[in-house]
Amino acid sequence: MGPRSAELFAKGGVETMEDLLYYVPRTYTDWSNISTVGSLRTGDRVTVIVRVVSCDILRRGRKEIFVAALEDDTGAVFARWFGQGYLKNVLTAGSRAVVSGEVRFDRFARRIEFLNPAFEVMGDDAAAELVHAGRIVPEYSQIGTLSGRRIRRLVKTALDRFLDQLVDPLPENVLRKRGLPGLVDSVADVHFPPSLERAARARSRLAYEEFFLFQVLVALKKRQLAESGRAIRIAWRDDEHARFTRSLPFELTGAQRRVISEIGGDLGRGEPMNRLLQGDVGSGKTAVAASAMHQAVASGHQAAIMAPTEILVEQHFENLRALLAPLGDRVVLLRGGMKAGERGEALGLIGSGEAQIVVGTHALIQEGTSFSDLALAVVDEQHRFGVVQRAALREKGSAPHILVMTATPIPRTLALTVYGDLDVSVLDEMPPGREKVVTAVRDEAARSKVYDFLKSEVVSGRQVFIVYPLVEESEKMELAAATKMYEELKEQTFTEATVGLVHGRMKPEEKDAVMEGFKTGNTDILVSTTVVEVGVDVPNATVMVIEHAERFGLAQLHQLRGRVGRGDQQSYCILMVGRGASDEARERIQVLADTNDGFVIAEKDLEMRGPGEFLGVRQHGLPRFSVADLRSDSRLLVQARDDAFAYVAGDADMSTPEGRLLLDATKRRFRGRGAFMDVG
Ligand code: ADP
Ligand code: MG
């Protein structure tokens, strides 16, 4: 190809001949079912070979509709294409074409037609050749201005010239175990398959391969972490654990006990723990973390817990101090807005080791904080922390054990990909006595009724959250809207109640004062932007109203809903949808009303919005897969992971010829693709 095409390809990530051969079709058109115009019947999916008799462009509003009359020796049929006026230069009268699609009945014109069918102009050599062979034709996504057709031609040439040079990176025994076709056959079939079944089999093999290569990286990364240093061995002390459980105001759930013992096992080994704890909002992750931190202290070392917001840090500090100080553990707070004196004192205690449990925000991993003997680091609400921060935290101790906690259930495929280097524990049981949060979707028409309901809750002594979305791009405007809403609510709607406002632009002291008012019950209704998203624990709050719910992801809505239902009163979540919300958005939100299971919601969210949107953060370490699809290929991913981990366990330094081949292929395939690891 010429340099211009090469440049366009490169922009789309196709830089080498190998990349091009792995550039799989988006879909296929089945040209193999060739029929004659005279025998067409409504509902048939067929291909016909026709002459273009005449054509015309109709306009409806701003849309152009291209209409062509087509015929062969047995009859005539019309075809219409919407919004594709440019076809007048492609399907000119007199040209020959192959047209493929579903035959439908046009009720107005009372005749059969093709609507937006696929087609090939016969003048095009490649097309003629393909059609004569009765082939299934690949359709490629265009790259910049490179059309799918042009890509097809280039792929064909690349296959003819270079296919036999491809070397299969998958180990023999893996191919055999999974009954996978070889690479050369698969690449040939994925582009120009003899049947749709063969195409699917080939695509599946290539998707498996992509996952396998990626999981080899994950396995290597995981091993690298395990070998990154000798961790401090924390031998589990049953007597200390018994003291801990006795001081808890509740019995641990079965899930909490199970996870605590998983963590206990990790702590006792010489390798650093790298564990992800997933548990829905309210499942009791803090108690699990506290039990592990207490063990670290009991064996003479330091533990730290890091949370993303000041409010949450404050809350952890209070809870942990209440829980652990009576056992003799010294709990110290380190946060952003501290006065120099206080800060110096805290840093001093951390440095000397007198601070046995340290609670802080990101400040904990900033320069200048140095621990005397950090053995365990807990990171709460992981989705706010990137891999980079985890690494920085790791450097604060020699090789501390790391426990990452998240209330955002992550679908299995994403967990295995983004957090694939971590072991995973799940708290899948709620503490007893929790009432399910009753959830309803409401629109503007119901607003005054909703307000009446809020008033009645306030009158009976309960508290209410009203959350406003803040979209980063238009933060100023949104903030103005939230503030205005707050003033209206305060002055006009809830004149009998105390209404507070909290948002991200406030100074920490102001924020704290407002939150304090809500926690103590002085404030009845708290209007906020999404700062309450994480953590805040106010058991007396029974209603969560979310404005413009359509602007949030499902997982985020679920998080917000978790702010209520923390006490023993029946709680409610009211999802207000704005006037402009689409039907699709309403349907999406309805999922929340239908289930309380965070994992079900996460799977749906992933399905509807895709992995990038789901994770919602820029620095999320999600690689861009070119063949595999994290939504539909989860079974392949699980297999590939098992196989890749088994392989790496058996070829530890990847020094066999097979191992070297694999490593090379992995590096080539994931270069510059945002893969989070960096292996020799
Ligand atoms: P999250 O997993 O969302 O961080 P928390 O750790 O904040 O949840 O716990 C939520 C609430 O449940 C807290 O008030 C906590 O004291 C309480 N809790 C935790 N474990 C139990 C339990 N086993 N039984 C009863 N209440 C519990
Ligand atoms: Mg929590």
Side-chain angles (χ1 to χ4, degrees), residues 169-171 173-174 207-225 416-417 420-421 623 625 636-670 675-680:
L170 291 180
N173 66 342
V174 167
Y208 172 92
E209 176 187 319
E210 194 167 34
F211 280 147
F212 183 90
L213 295 181
F214 187 71
Q215 290 296 330
V216 164
L217 276 184
V218 175
L220 290 171
K221 172 74 177 180
K222 192 157 184 239
R223 214 191 46 217
Q224 207 180 55
L225 277 179
L416 290 180
T417 307
D421 55 331
F625 291 112
L636 288 177
L637 172 58
V638 172
Q639 290 179 351
R641 179 178 171 92
D642 286 351
D643 297 346
F645 273 64
Y647 183 85
V648 169
D651 187 5
D653 50 4
M654 303 292 279
S655 58
T656 62
E658 247 181 1
R660 279 204 302 273
L661 185 72
L662 247 177
L663 204 51
D664 282 348
T666 302
K667 283 188 201 156
R668 282 201 312 277
R669 298 289 297 283
F670 289 98
F676 60 99
M677 27 222 128
D678 135 47
V679 171

Side-chain angles (χ1 to χ4, degrees), residues 542-563:
T542 53
V543 191
M544 166 64 67
V545 180
I546 303 172
E547 298 284 348
H548 287 289
E550 73 277 5
R551 295 192 197 160
F552 293 90
L554 293 183
Q556 206 183 2
L557 289 172
H558 180 63
Q559 284 273 119
L560 286 168
R561 174 167 63 182
R563 298 301 119 219

Side-chain angles (χ1 to χ4, degrees), residues 263-281:
I263 293 170
D266 289 355
L267 296 180
R269 276 191 280 277
E271 288 173 358
M273 167 172 80
N274 280 287
R275 186 170 285 278
L276 175 69
L277 171 55
Q278 294 198 47
D280 227 330
V281 177

Side-chain angles (χ1 to χ4, degrees), residues 280-284 430-439 457 462-465 518 536-545 558-573 596:
D280 227 330
V281 177
S283 58
M430 282 289 178
R434 292 282 162 77
E435 294 271 1
K436 204 174 136 194
V437 177
V438 173
T439 303
E457 286 288 294
R462 320 260 182 272
Q463 290 166 280
V464 174
F465 285 107
F518 193 63
V536 191
D537 197 7
V538 182
N540 189 49
T542 53
V543 191
M544 166 64 67
V545 180
H558 180 63
Q559 284 273 119
L560 286 168
R561 174 167 63 182
R563 298 301 119 219
V564 295
R566 306 202 135 205
D568 40 23
Q569 296 297 326
Q570 177 61 59
S571 292
Y572 305 88
C573 176
N596 264 293

Side-chain angles (χ1 to χ4, degrees), residues 281-282 285-286 312 315-316 380-381 405 407 534-535 563 566:
V281 177
K285 294 184 291 296
T286 315
L312 195 53
Q315 194 171 290
H316 274 320
D380 197 13
E381 307 299 351
M405 307 200 292
V534 183
R563 298 301 119 219
R566 306 202 135 205

Side-chain angles (χ1 to χ4, degrees), residues 105-167:
F105 188 70
D106 177 350
R107 251 177 253 206
F108 291 103
R110 306 206 54 78
R111 66 190 181 203
I112 56 166
E113 64 164 12
F114 286 103
L115 189 62
N116 298 320
F119 70 93
E120 293 283 338
V121 177
M122 293 281 267
D124 181 328
D125 290 348
E129 185 190 323
L130 294 169
V131 170
H132 286 307
R135 291 286 272 282
I136 292 167
V137 174
E139 308 289 348
Y140 297 86
S141 300
Q142 68 181 65
I143 299 179
T145 53
L146 278 174
S147 71
R149 278 155 204 261
R150 173 140 173 77
I151 293 173
R152 176 159 68 222
R153 243 171 284 143
L154 291 167
V155 167
K156 183 94 173 58
T157 312
L159 282 171
D160 291 343
R161 305 256 297 267
F162 301 105
L163 179 62
D164 55 4
Q165 292 183 31
L166 284 178
V167 179

